[in-house]
Amino acid sequence: MRTDPPGGVAETIPLWSLTDDSLVEIGEDGSLVVVTRWGEFDFDHAEPLVRESLRRMALGPISLANVTSSWEPVEREPDLEGELSWTAEGADALRQALKELGGSVVHSLGLADGRGPLLSVIPVALAPVFGTEEVPPARPIRLSRFCSLRSDAYGMGLESPSARYRVVLYQPWAVHVAATLATAKSVGEIVSTTGIEAGVVAAIASYLVAAGVVQLAGEHGRFAEDEDPELSLWSPDELLFHTTSRTWRPGGPADLPGLGNPPVVKAAPGAGPVHLLYRPDLAARAVTDPTLTTLLENDHTCPEFTESVLSAEQIGEFLFRGARIRSIGPAHFPHGQASEGPVHSASQRPYFSVACLYELELYVSVNRCSGLDRGIYHYDPLDHRLSLVNDDEADLAAMLDMAMIGGGNHRRPSALITVTARMPRMASVLGGGAYATTLSHVGALQQTLYLVARAMGLAAHAVPVDAGDRVDRALKLDWPAEVGVGECVLDFPS
């Protein structure tokens, strides 16, 4: 690591740019439109200074002082981080434009050595506020306990779900400073332990604090997030999952090449025996089924598993009524609206799915069933059939034992339905929100299976399973393209 900058003391400079997904369009009449992930921003009759600044910012990190060198300085404007000032009218217009575009303005910190930024602070919210202040040299600072540090496309990515910015650390100095903050340290302590020039450490610390990924201790020496009762309810993993799944972030799954348009139906796994399943007469069922109110008003409790034997006909009716494909066609959107994501094929099934994606797959672990051998089967919802994927008794026993323990029982259930998700099917359309949406689909499917079972005089109930990788191995899943997301037991009411 370089600790002695050539030519003496290192000088840091603030740099400005727009996010990679921003587009600046300048018309011949002087009109200015900036297209961002948050929408379009129109700047009618934009000042020349505004047009030129945003044009250059769209190309990468720049010093605003370089842009303004051809404008006559009139008065200091410290709001723009102490850089050169311009006519009051131009300065006000640029300041207002940067404020409106706050969710797409990247703040970078560089050195006057032409090596590019040390770090960049990238917004992940529509209207964040970025204000750097000098960090008191003796005041402790520390990474947020919610922070994660991992490889980014351009460097080391540092982000916290409690922050409105994520940070990319490009150069070793920035990485070293951030890494030392796993425990609380002052700027002075960081300087003494790293050998990095004090001014550089102070500037890096100031940017990290302004980004929200580093916490500044109060005058009492304690950190606010440690004393926040609401934050204490969240684990770092859960809070990060929540925030990232609710925001479509650039560089997410939908931006990756090669996802294509995954098929509606998964190809039958393996070459095991195939069992065509019974198809019930739904018109006849409609006459005899209990009402929806009757079904909903019964307690949703996990049954005591019995020694009774299901029939292949019952399993066939259960899957037909709860999970079959009724039709396949192109995705459709209300009121003739076009999809903003990739075009995809869709299907219709008895339970709800966003954009009719239906990424869920069902596997049936058969324990006691007349007409079906013991084993683990994959359900084909289009042809309504089961294909054997695993007849290993040890794997079947492990699956059934997990269901027995999860259901708080002393017997194994007659059958276990394992729900998996084909993530490419979701990520190709929903990006970073794919997994959270999948979990919603699992709940919709579980409710549907519960109601179908009750209407048939059976009992179906979700069970919590501590699966690890046992489910992946037993079902022979192609992890992580297909992952287990839920379980449902099928038995008789106790």
Side-chain angles (χ1 to χ4, degrees), residues 289-298 300 447 450-451:
D289 275 353
T291 66
L292 177 62
T293 299
T294 300
L295 294 173
L296 291 176
E297 290 304 311
N298 281 286
H300 295 214
Q447 174 77 339
Y450 167 83
L451 294 173

mmCIF file with all atom_site columns, all heavy atoms in Angstrom, residues 289-298 300 447 450-451:
data_model
loop_
_atom_site.group_PDB
_atom_site.id
_atom_site.type_symbol
_atom_site.label_atom_id
_atom_site.label_alt_id
_atom_site.label_comp_id
_atom_site.label_asym_id
_atom_site.label_entity_id
_atom_site.label_seq_id
_atom_site.pdbx_PDB_ins_code
_atom_site.Cartn_x
_atom_site.Cartn_y
_atom_site.Cartn_z
_atom_site.occupancy
_atom_site.B_iso_or_equiv
_atom_site.pdbx_formal_charge
_atom_site.auth_seq_id
_atom_site.auth_comp_id
_atom_site.auth_asym_id
_atom_site.auth_atom_id
_atom_site.pdbx_PDB_model_num
ATOM 1   N N   . ASP A 1 289 ? -68.772 -29.323 -2.449 1.00 0.00 ? 289 ASP A N   1
ATOM 2   C CA  . ASP A 1 289 ? -67.738 -28.693 -1.618 1.00 0.00 ? 289 ASP A CA  1
ATOM 3   C C   . ASP A 1 289 ? -68.349 -27.764 -0.573 1.00 0.00 ? 289 ASP A C   1
ATOM 4   O O   . ASP A 1 289 ? -69.383 -27.118 -0.827 1.00 0.00 ? 289 ASP A O   1
ATOM 5   C CB  . ASP A 1 289 ? -66.777 -27.880 -2.487 1.00 0.00 ? 289 ASP A CB  1
ATOM 6   C CG  . ASP A 1 289 ? -65.665 -28.719 -3.081 1.00 0.00 ? 289 ASP A CG  1
ATOM 7   O OD1 . ASP A 1 289 ? -65.549 -29.899 -2.713 1.00 0.00 ? 289 ASP A OD1 1
ATOM 8   O OD2 . ASP A 1 289 ? -64.912 -28.188 -3.928 1.00 0.00 ? 289 ASP A OD2 1
ATOM 9   N N   . PRO A 1 290 ? -67.734 -27.659 0.594  1.00 0.00 ? 290 PRO A N   1
ATOM 10  C CA  . PRO A 1 290 ? -68.159 -26.650 1.576  1.00 0.00 ? 290 PRO A CA  1
ATOM 11  C C   . PRO A 1 290 ? -67.903 -25.249 1.033  1.00 0.00 ? 290 PRO A C   1
ATOM 12  O O   . PRO A 1 290 ? -67.104 -25.061 0.114  1.00 0.00 ? 290 PRO A O   1
ATOM 13  C CB  . PRO A 1 290 ? -67.300 -26.953 2.796  1.00 0.00 ? 290 PRO A CB  1
ATOM 14  C CG  . PRO A 1 290 ? -66.112 -27.688 2.267  1.00 0.00 ? 290 PRO A CG  1
ATOM 15  C CD  . PRO A 1 290 ? -66.598 -28.462 1.078  1.00 0.00 ? 290 PRO A CD  1
ATOM 16  N N   . THR A 1 291 ? -68.562 -24.256 1.605  1.00 0.00 ? 291 THR A N   1
ATOM 17  C CA  . THR A 1 291 ? -68.381 -22.872 1.151  1.00 0.00 ? 291 THR A CA  1
ATOM 18  C C   . THR A 1 291 ? -67.019 -22.348 1.576  1.00 0.00 ? 291 THR A C   1
ATOM 19  O O   . THR A 1 291 ? -66.379 -22.884 2.491  1.00 0.00 ? 291 THR A O   1
ATOM 20  C CB  . THR A 1 291 ? -69.466 -21.964 1.724  1.00 0.00 ? 291 THR A CB  1
ATOM 21  O OG1 . THR A 1 291 ? -69.304 -21.889 3.148  1.00 0.00 ? 291 THR A OG1 1
ATOM 22  C CG2 . THR A 1 291 ? -70.857 -22.487 1.382  1.00 0.00 ? 291 THR A CG2 1
ATOM 23  N N   . LEU A 1 292 ? -66.579 -21.270 0.919  1.00 0.00 ? 292 LEU A N   1
ATOM 24  C CA  . LEU A 1 292 ? -65.307 -20.646 1.272  1.00 0.00 ? 292 LEU A CA  1
ATOM 25  C C   . LEU A 1 292 ? -65.323 -20.167 2.725  1.00 0.00 ? 292 LEU A C   1
ATOM 26  O O   . LEU A 1 292 ? -64.341 -20.329 3.450  1.00 0.00 ? 292 LEU A O   1
ATOM 27  C CB  . LEU A 1 292 ? -65.020 -19.481 0.331  1.00 0.00 ? 292 LEU A CB  1
ATOM 28  C CG  . LEU A 1 292 ? -63.748 -18.684 0.613  1.00 0.00 ? 292 LEU A CG  1
ATOM 29  C CD1 . LEU A 1 292 ? -62.513 -19.565 0.483  1.00 0.00 ? 292 LEU A CD1 1
ATOM 30  C CD2 . LEU A 1 292 ? -63.637 -17.479 -0.331 1.00 0.00 ? 292 LEU A CD2 1
ATOM 31  N N   . THR A 1 293 ? -66.450 -19.594 3.146  1.00 0.00 ? 293 THR A N   1
ATOM 32  C CA  . THR A 1 293 ? -66.541 -19.123 4.532  1.00 0.00 ? 293 THR A CA  1
ATOM 33  C C   . THR A 1 293 ? -66.358 -20.268 5.511  1.00 0.00 ? 293 THR A C   1
ATOM 34  O O   . THR A 1 293 ? -65.649 -20.155 6.514  1.00 0.00 ? 293 THR A O   1
ATOM 35  C CB  . THR A 1 293 ? -67.895 -18.435 4.767  1.00 0.00 ? 293 THR A CB  1
ATOM 36  O OG1 . THR A 1 293 ? -68.000 -17.315 3.908  1.00 0.00 ? 293 THR A OG1 1
ATOM 37  C CG2 . THR A 1 293 ? -68.030 -17.991 6.217  1.00 0.00 ? 293 THR A CG2 1
ATOM 38  N N   . THR A 1 294 ? -66.987 -21.410 5.222  1.00 0.00 ? 294 THR A N   1
ATOM 39  C CA  . THR A 1 294 ? -66.843 -22.575 6.100  1.00 0.00 ? 294 THR A CA  1
ATOM 40  C C   . THR A 1 294 ? -65.386 -23.004 6.192  1.00 0.00 ? 294 THR A C   1
ATOM 41  O O   . THR A 1 294 ? -64.871 -23.300 7.279  1.00 0.00 ? 294 THR A O   1
ATOM 42  C CB  . THR A 1 294 ? -67.703 -23.738 5.574  1.00 0.00 ? 294 THR A CB  1
ATOM 43  O OG1 . THR A 1 294 ? -69.072 -23.340 5.553  1.00 0.00 ? 294 THR A OG1 1
ATOM 44  C CG2 . THR A 1 294 ? -67.542 -24.967 6.453  1.00 0.00 ? 294 THR A CG2 1
ATOM 45  N N   . LEU A 1 295 ? -64.713 -23.023 5.055  1.00 0.00 ? 295 LEU A N   1
ATOM 46  C CA  . LEU A 1 295 ? -63.302 -23.441 5.045  1.00 0.00 ? 295 LEU A CA  1
ATOM 47  C C   . LEU A 1 295 ? -62.427 -22.460 5.818  1.00 0.00 ? 295 LEU A C   1
ATOM 48  O O   . LEU A 1 295 ? -61.545 -22.855 6.584  1.00 0.00 ? 295 LEU A O   1
ATOM 49  C CB  . LEU A 1 295 ? -62.804 -23.560 3.611  1.00 0.00 ? 295 LEU A CB  1
ATOM 50  C CG  . LEU A 1 295 ? -63.443 -24.662 2.761  1.00 0.00 ? 295 LEU A CG  1
ATOM 51  C CD1 . LEU A 1 295 ? -62.975 -24.553 1.321  1.00 0.00 ? 295 LEU A CD1 1
ATOM 52  C CD2 . LEU A 1 295 ? -63.114 -26.043 3.325  1.00 0.00 ? 295 LEU A CD2 1
ATOM 53  N N   . LEU A 1 296 ? -62.667 -21.161 5.619  1.00 0.00 ? 296 LEU A N   1
ATOM 54  C CA  . LEU A 1 296 ? -61.818 -20.150 6.258  1.00 0.00 ? 296 LEU A CA  1
ATOM 55  C C   . LEU A 1 296 ? -62.054 -20.064 7.751  1.00 0.00 ? 296 LEU A C   1
ATOM 56  O O   . LEU A 1 296 ? -61.145 -19.692 8.505  1.00 0.00 ? 296 LEU A O   1
ATOM 57  C CB  . LEU A 1 296 ? -62.061 -18.778 5.613  1.00 0.00 ? 296 LEU A CB  1
ATOM 58  C CG  . LEU A 1 296 ? -61.583 -18.607 4.174  1.00 0.00 ? 296 LEU A CG  1
ATOM 59  C CD1 . LEU A 1 296 ? -61.991 -17.231 3.647  1.00 0.00 ? 296 LEU A CD1 1
ATOM 60  C CD2 . LEU A 1 296 ? -60.083 -18.786 4.071  1.00 0.00 ? 296 LEU A CD2 1
ATOM 61  N N   . GLU A 1 297 ? -63.243 -20.390 8.204  1.00 0.00 ? 297 GLU A N   1
ATOM 62  C CA  . GLU A 1 297 ? -63.555 -20.257 9.622  1.00 0.00 ? 297 GLU A CA  1
ATOM 63  C C   . GLU A 1 297 ? -63.122 -21.452 10.451 1.00 0.00 ? 297 GLU A C   1
ATOM 64  O O   . GLU A 1 297 ? -63.299 -21.470 11.661 1.00 0.00 ? 297 GLU A O   1
ATOM 65  C CB  . GLU A 1 297 ? -65.058 -20.013 9.806  1.00 0.00 ? 297 GLU A CB  1
ATOM 66  C CG  . GLU A 1 297 ? -65.510 -18.642 9.332  1.00 0.00 ? 297 GLU A CG  1
ATOM 67  C CD  . GLU A 1 297 ? -64.750 -17.517 10.001 1.00 0.00 ? 297 GLU A CD  1
ATOM 68  O OE1 . GLU A 1 297 ? -64.628 -17.536 11.243 1.00 0.00 ? 297 GLU A OE1 1
ATOM 69  O OE2 . GLU A 1 297 ? -64.227 -16.632 9.291  1.00 0.00 ? 297 GLU A OE2 1
ATOM 70  N N   . ASN A 1 298 ? -62.581 -22.484 9.828  1.00 0.00 ? 298 ASN A N   1
ATOM 71  C CA  . ASN A 1 298 ? -61.995 -23.591 10.576 1.00 0.00 ? 298 ASN A CA  1
ATOM 72  C C   . ASN A 1 298 ? -60.587 -23.223 11.017 1.00 0.00 ? 298 ASN A C   1
ATOM 73  O O   . ASN A 1 298 ? -59.871 -22.504 10.320 1.00 0.00 ? 298 ASN A O   1
ATOM 74  C CB  . ASN A 1 298 ? -61.943 -24.855 9.710  1.00 0.00 ? 298 ASN A CB  1
ATOM 75  C CG  . ASN A 1 298 ? -63.288 -25.549 9.628  1.00 0.00 ? 298 ASN A CG  1
ATOM 76  O OD1 . ASN A 1 298 ? -63.719 -26.184 10.588 1.00 0.00 ? 298 ASN A OD1 1
ATOM 77  N ND2 . ASN A 1 298 ? -63.964 -25.413 8.489  1.00 0.00 ? 298 ASN A ND2 1
ATOM 78  N N   . HIS A 1 300 ? -56.724 -23.210 11.546 1.00 0.00 ? 300 HIS A N   1
ATOM 79  C CA  . HIS A 1 300 ? -55.594 -23.647 10.725 1.00 0.00 ? 300 HIS A CA  1
ATOM 80  C C   . HIS A 1 300 ? -54.545 -24.252 11.654 1.00 0.00 ? 300 HIS A C   1
ATOM 81  O O   . HIS A 1 300 ? -53.589 -23.593 12.038 1.00 0.00 ? 300 HIS A O   1
ATOM 82  C CB  . HIS A 1 300 ? -54.997 -22.461 9.966  1.00 0.00 ? 300 HIS A CB  1
ATOM 83  C CG  . HIS A 1 300 ? -55.928 -21.855 8.967  1.00 0.00 ? 300 HIS A CG  1
ATOM 84  N ND1 . HIS A 1 300 ? -55.505 -21.326 7.785  1.00 0.00 ? 300 HIS A ND1 1
ATOM 85  C CD2 . HIS A 1 300 ? -57.275 -21.703 8.963  1.00 0.00 ? 300 HIS A CD2 1
ATOM 86  C CE1 . HIS A 1 300 ? -56.532 -20.859 7.098  1.00 0.00 ? 300 HIS A CE1 1
ATOM 87  N NE2 . HIS A 1 300 ? -57.619 -21.076 7.800  1.00 0.00 ? 300 HIS A NE2 1
ATOM 88  N N   . GLN A 1 447 ? -51.844 -21.369 1.166  1.00 0.00 ? 447 GLN A N   1
ATOM 89  C CA  . GLN A 1 447 ? -53.249 -21.136 1.497  1.00 0.00 ? 447 GLN A CA  1
ATOM 90  C C   . GLN A 1 447 ? -54.167 -21.920 0.561  1.00 0.00 ? 447 GLN A C   1
ATOM 91  O O   . GLN A 1 447 ? -55.158 -22.512 0.990  1.00 0.00 ? 447 GLN A O   1
ATOM 92  C CB  . GLN A 1 447 ? -53.561 -19.634 1.417  1.00 0.00 ? 447 GLN A CB  1
ATOM 93  C CG  . GLN A 1 447 ? -55.029 -19.283 1.610  1.00 0.00 ? 447 GLN A CG  1
ATOM 94  C CD  . GLN A 1 447 ? -55.471 -19.337 3.059  1.00 0.00 ? 447 GLN A CD  1
ATOM 95  O OE1 . GLN A 1 447 ? -54.843 -19.984 3.878  1.00 0.00 ? 447 GLN A OE1 1
ATOM 96  N NE2 . GLN A 1 447 ? -56.551 -18.641 3.361  1.00 0.00 ? 447 GLN A NE2 1
ATOM 97  N N   . TYR A 1 450 ? -54.067 -25.586 1.452  1.00 0.00 ? 450 TYR A N   1
ATOM 98  C CA  . TYR A 1 450 ? -54.795 -25.804 2.705  1.00 0.00 ? 450 TYR A CA  1
ATOM 99  C C   . TYR A 1 450 ? -56.300 -25.886 2.442  1.00 0.00 ? 450 TYR A C   1
ATOM 100 O O   . TYR A 1 450 ? -56.991 -26.793 2.934  1.00 0.00 ? 450 TYR A O   1
ATOM 101 C CB  . TYR A 1 450 ? -54.498 -24.678 3.683  1.00 0.00 ? 450 TYR A CB  1
ATOM 102 C CG  . TYR A 1 450 ? -55.424 -24.650 4.881  1.00 0.00 ? 450 TYR A CG  1
ATOM 103 C CD1 . TYR A 1 450 ? -55.177 -25.465 5.984  1.00 0.00 ? 450 TYR A CD1 1
ATOM 104 C CD2 . TYR A 1 450 ? -56.548 -23.835 4.887  1.00 0.00 ? 450 TYR A CD2 1
ATOM 105 C CE1 . TYR A 1 450 ? -56.033 -25.462 7.075  1.00 0.00 ? 450 TYR A CE1 1
ATOM 106 C CE2 . TYR A 1 450 ? -57.417 -23.824 5.966  1.00 0.00 ? 450 TYR A CE2 1
ATOM 107 C CZ  . TYR A 1 450 ? -57.159 -24.634 7.062  1.00 0.00 ? 450 TYR A CZ  1
ATOM 108 O OH  . TYR A 1 450 ? -58.017 -24.637 8.132  1.00 0.00 ? 450 TYR A OH  1
ATOM 109 N N   . LEU A 1 451 ? -56.823 -24.949 1.646  1.00 0.00 ? 451 LEU A N   1
ATOM 110 C CA  . LEU A 1 451 ? -58.268 -24.919 1.381  1.00 0.00 ? 451 LEU A CA  1
ATOM 111 C C   . LEU A 1 451 ? -58.705 -26.126 0.562  1.00 0.00 ? 451 LEU A C   1
ATOM 112 O O   . LEU A 1 451 ? -59.768 -26.707 0.806  1.00 0.00 ? 451 LEU A O   1
ATOM 113 C CB  . LEU A 1 451 ? -58.627 -23.624 0.659  1.00 0.00 ? 451 LEU A CB  1
ATOM 114 C CG  . LEU A 1 451 ? -58.439 -22.329 1.458  1.00 0.00 ? 451 LEU A CG  1
ATOM 115 C CD1 . LEU A 1 451 ? -58.671 -21.106 0.569  1.00 0.00 ? 451 LEU A CD1 1
ATOM 116 C CD2 . LEU A 1 451 ? -59.366 -22.288 2.666  1.00 0.00 ? 451 LEU A CD2 1
#
